[in-house]
Amino acid sequence: MMDRIPALEAVHLTKAYDAVRAVDDLSFDVKEGEIFGLLGPNGAGKSTTVKIAITLLCPSAGRAMIFGVDVVEHADRVRQMIGYVPQERAIDRFLTGREHLQLLGALYHLSREEAERRIRELLKLLDLEHKADIPAKNYSGGMKRKLDLACGLIPNPKVLFMDEPTLGLDVQSRLRIWDYVRRLRERGITVVMTTNYLDEADQLCDRLAIIDGGRLKALGSPLELKAGLGGDSISVTVGPPEPSRIEALAEALRAVPVIRSVSPRPDGVDLRVDAPEKAVPAVLETATRLSCRVEFIEYHRPRLDDVFVAYTGHVFRDEFPKSESNE
Amino acid sequence: MNSEYFQEIGALSMRWVRRLSREKFSMIFTLVQPMLFWLIFFGNLFQRAADVQVMQAPSYISFLTAGVVVMTVLNNGLAGGVDLLFDKENGFLERLMSTPIRRSSVILSRFLFVMTITSLQVLVILGVAAAFGVHPATGWLGIITILLIGMLFGVGLTSISMALAFSVKSHGDFFSMLGFLSLPMIFLSSALVPLEAMPGWMSALAQLNPMTWVINAIRPLLLANWTEAIPRIGMVLLVLAAFDAVCLYGGVRAFRRALG
Ligand SMILES: Nc1ncnc2c1ncn2[C@@H]1O[C@H](COP(=O)(O)OP(=O)(O)OP(=O)(O)O)[C@@H](O)[C@H]1O
Ligand SMILES: [Mg+2]
């Protein structure tokens, strides 16, 4: 099968400032029509990557292309294809929501009728109709964020870049925005978003790039990344803990086909397994056969946290969405 | 292509107008500018202290009018970049720059807006001066010439302001630089006192100040006649061509560096 042109292609992308390499040799593709996430902690280089892709920053090395068009050489053509929702709320407090959209409509060279039509549609979609004609300084934080989103969508972009779209939103608004982003995907829009939130990356993104310190640490769908860790994990605790029994149990379990790896603990064993529905009965049966009493058996699917720890070597501090004051 | 350019500049200029109209307080202050108080209070206050012989003007207020007109141009011009500074700081500028507009549209819309507001204010000031008996000696054509010279000067000043806005690290820096620039520009010029009345070193410095040349071209338009004004207008055009060229160059460079 022929490969389609990627919606975004980063090739050895690098952005160096005096002291830091904000982005360091990053290469990845975003496929047309997918929701692609850049996941990483503060200062990982997510925003920098996005700003290069949308022509606001020049890379110090490497290149980025939107549908094959180089973002440095043909910045103008790139700008016609993209929408941008910045990380900081870029709102003019004195303008009303509608005036923001009218301004951007004109900057994307829409005709008046076309602009009016899209503005009506977007205000409705984002549930901003009733506040459309008051100045944005009277908007709540969430409403400002929605207005930001609407501004990014005015051009009806082929690729929408969103920098931490749900930062500081309440749970309901986050869910609504996720829902909305999925609907954009249905309309064929490619979405590239950055996020600080593991659950957001997990549930919303089709594919992810985990970056840390400007470098790519892992790339794939959330499922692939989790599977890449070596399966689901089962942890067995036996009692009373006797080293010889545990050793024997570990030995016997190593022979079970669906169990990938076994690591003994002082009071039991940790397992990585492919098919938990087969592994769990096998574990219990083996334990009974060796007359080990199983006190406790715990099963969990790998979470993105585990992926993150495995690839970056440090724990992800998932910041809980902070409640946000209005100004 | 060109219609797109006009569409961009029109929409951006509209934004500046809307912002101003939302800030009722600041709009009132913009129109009924502190400059007017300079004219009214200073003009009348120094009426007796000032030597009409030295001024070569019928009254101090008539002498001061040209100075106040140009001070208005100066203040508006130097403040012309403030809104862009705020846009840069809150990310609105990035949003604008991610759209397919010509890079120059933002700047041109700003020039357009600043020039228009300044011209309106100059007209208000001339109206107030007229109420105090200062009638422009060269008539309507003179007033139009004054507005055009003001705009030419304003372009350079606004460029300086934008260059500052794009290069400063914080807006504290911006405002202290402005204060640092504007007071000496006013006192080391012929705005308040004619060059002849200054100590030698001051008048020497004032001659290096483009503002002096601008005032010296506008003053005869208000107080004397075309014969006296025309050579000075010629002179100021040369000075402003050089001044604007330097300022625009600096402005464009700062803009490029900040926004690639
Ligand atoms: N203009 C700049 N000059 C110097 N260093 C910069 C500049 N912009 C960003 N950096 C540095 O580059 C690194 C990456 O920044 P970036 O904003 O891309 O991070 P991020 O992943 O978006 O973080 P966050 O989650 O906090 O938004 C940081 O260490 C930051 O300090
Ligand atoms: Mg960021």
Side-chain angles (χ1 to χ4, degrees):
Chain A
M1 203 179 84
M2 278 258 297
D3 266 347
R4 308 263 291 271
I5 305 177
L8 166 64
E9 186 177 3
V11 187
H12 300 299
L13 204 59
T14 301
K15 178 74 187 178
Y17 291 109
D18 296 336
V20 278
R21 289 180 157 254
V23 175
D24 195 359
D25 198 25
L26 217 53
S27 297
F28 62 86
D29 282 0
V30 175
K31 296 184 195 130
E32 181 171 5
E34 72 179 350
I35 302 176
F36 187 88
L38 291 166
L39 173 70
N42 292 136
K46 305 180 296 290
S47 298
T48 308
T49 309
V50 167
K51 283 183 190 173
I52 294 172
I54 61 174
T55 76
L56 289 181
L57 284 178
C58 277
S60 358
R63 50 196 301 220
M65 282 146 295
I66 304 281
F67 287 109
V69 182
D70 190 283
V71 300
V72 177
E73 277 161 41
H74 302 289
D76 246 11
R77 275 171 61 205
V78 167
R79 292 184 192 122
Q80 315 257 10
M81 295 191 275
I82 57 167
Y84 173 44
V85 180
Q87 175 171 357
E88 317 284 342
R89 293 192 184 95
I91 297 285
D92 184 334
R93 323 172 46 218
F94 295 108
L95 298 189
T96 69
R98 192 186 305 281
E99 286 164 352
H100 276 87
L101 298 174
Q102 284 166 345
L103 171 66
L104 284 154
L107 300 187
Y108 284 102
H109 312 122
L110 303 182
S111 70
R112 190 178 292 264
E113 303 78 59
E114 177 64 9
E116 286 309 315
R117 197 180 59 71
R118 282 193 207 168
I119 290 170
R120 228 176 302 123
E121 184 189 306
L122 284 170
L123 287 174
K124 187 163 179 186
L125 204 57
L126 292 166
D127 200 19
L128 280 175
E129 282 161 310
H130 57 297
K131 300 276 186 182
D133 295 305
I134 62 170
K137 66 178 165 198
N138 301 330
Y139 283 20
S140 74
M143 282 156 53
K144 284 183 190 153
R145 199 65 193 150
K146 287 193 219 163
L147 178 56
D148 256 340
L149 265 177
C151 289
L153 286 166
I154 264 284
N156 198 13
K158 289 170 89 168
V159 188
L160 178 65
F161 287 88
M162 298 197 291
D163 202 348
E164 317 225 359
T166 64
L167 189 70
L169 291 190
D170 62 26
V171 177
Q172 269 172 322
S173 303
R174 290 179 79 199
L175 292 179
R176 225 174 306 137
I177 285 182
W178 290 4
D179 197 47
Y180 184 61
V181 171
R182 292 192 187 101
R183 274 193 274 157
L184 293 178
R185 175 178 54 192
E186 280 163 31
R187 279 165 52 181
I189 295 178
T190 308
V191 177
V192 178
M193 56 183 279
T194 73
T195 182
N196 247 316
Y197 301 130
L198 287 161
D199 58 338
E200 183 162 279
D202 201 359
Q203 294 178 46
L204 185 57
C205 298
D206 297 317
R207 284 192 323 130
L208 286 176
I210 294 183
I211 56 178
D212 190 25
R215 300 192 133 262
L216 184 68
K217 297 292 184 177
L219 183 67
S221 71
L223 263 179
E224 280 165 5
L225 290 174
K226 286 183 277 188
L229 285 187
D232 297 2
S233 69
I234 292 178
S235 133
V236 185
T237 307
V238 300
E242 283 171 39
S244 60
R245 283 231 173 127
I246 290 173
E247 202 40 59
L249 178 65
E251 203 51 48
L253 289 175
R254 283 199 178 95
V256 180
V258 290
I259 296 179
R260 281 219 218 156
S261 73
V262 180
S263 31
R265 291 195 320 259
D267 59 345
V269 287
D270 281 335
L271 314 170
R272 288 275 178 199
V273 304
D274 283 331
E277 71 286 357
K278 291 189 190 129
V280 173
V283 169
L284 293 176
E285 186 200 319
T286 311
T288 317
R289 181 156 51 80
L290 297 176
S291 40
C292 281
R293 196 161 62 79
V294 172
E295 275 208 331
F296 204 88
I297 184 160
E298 192 179 47
Y299 157 73
H300 84 89
R301 319 199 63 158
R303 290 175 315 216
L304 216 45
D305 315 41
D306 304 318
V307 176
F308 194 84
V309 174
Y311 285 103
T312 66
H314 51 85
V315 177
F316 197 104
R317 267 176 294 134
D318 197 355
E319 285 155 49
F320 193 76
K322 292 180 217 72
S323 65
E324 178 118 345
S325 62
N326 280 355
E327 230 9 351
Chain B
M1 243 358 229
N2 272 331
S3 72
E4 289 186 348
Y5 203 20
F6 288 132
Q7 189 181 16
E8 293 160 11
I9 295 175
L12 289 165
S13 306
M14 189 62 192
R15 169 171 173 237
W16 304 126
V17 173
R18 279 178 171 154
R19 275 174 70 90
L20 183 66
S21 71
R22 295 289 144 75
E23 292 175 283
K24 292 275 176 334
F25 201 64
S26 120
M27 186 161 79
I28 290 168
F29 270 83
T30 308
L31 290 180
V32 188
Q33 249 247 347
M35 287 296 107
L36 275 182
F37 298 108
W38 273 81
L39 187 67
I40 295 168
F41 293 118
F42 251 68
N44 289 310
L45 187 63
F46 286 97
Q47 184 60 50
R48 294 196 170 189
D51 185 338
V52 175
Q53 216 54 43
V54 176
M55 298 296 156
Q56 299 195 316
S59 63
Y60 186 62
I61 202 166
S62 64
F63 173 84
L64 192 61
T65 304
V68 170
V69 164
V70 179
M71 275 155 72
T72 303
V73 173
L74 177 79
N75 283 349
N76 283 353
L78 288 182
V82 176
D83 289 66
L84 291 178
L85 177 71
F86 289 137
D87 275 1
K88 183 184 90 171
E89 286 186 344
N90 80 7
F92 205 85
L93 194 61
E94 289 195 335
R95 156 161 281 153
L96 297 179
M97 287 302 152
S98 74
T99 67
I101 56 173
R102 304 227 187 152
R103 308 289 92 179
S104 54
S105 295
V106 175
I107 290 184
L108 281 180
S109 73
R110 198 64 207 161
F111 278 131
L112 205 63
F113 173 75
V114 174
M115 298 307 135
T116 309
I117 295 294
T118 307
S119 299
L120 288 176
Q121 276 176 258
V122 167
L123 290 176
V124 172
I125 287 167
L126 292 180
V128 172
F132 283 94
V134 186
H135 299 284
T138 48
W140 281 107
L141 209 55
I143 292 181
I144 292 172
T145 314
I146 291 172
L147 292 182
L148 289 177
I149 295 175
M151 286 186 201
L152 271 182
F153 189 35
V155 166
L157 294 165
T158 311
S159 305
I160 294 179
S161 178
M162 290 188 200
L164 271 182
F166 288 123
S167 22
V168 292
K169 295 273 180 290
S170 76
H171 66 246
D173 291 359
F174 180 83
F175 289 108
S176 34
M177 299 274 277
L178 282 197
F180 181 78
L181 270 178
S182 81
L183 276 186
M185 288 272 284
I186 291 173
F187 286 104
L188 292 178
S189 80
S190 51
L192 308 175
V193 186
L195 292 188
E196 297 76 40
M198 289 182 178
W201 63 272
M202 264 180 99
S203 90
L205 283 177
Q207 305 239 14
L208 297 175
N209 183 352
M211 186 153 158
T212 299
W213 299 89
V214 176
I215 294 169
N216 289 352
I218 289 180
R219 196 164 279 146
L221 284 169
L222 287 172
L223 302 181
N225 49 51
W226 284 104
T227 333
E228 234 176 87
I230 283 176
R232 303 204 175 184
I233 293 172
M235 195 57 208
V236 82
L237 289 182
L238 288 180
V239 170
L240 287 182
F243 176 71
D244 286 351
V246 171
C247 296
L248 276 172
Y249 175 76
V252 169
R253 264 190 54 153
F255 182 67
R256 289 248 168 86
R257 208 172 22 212
L259 295 161

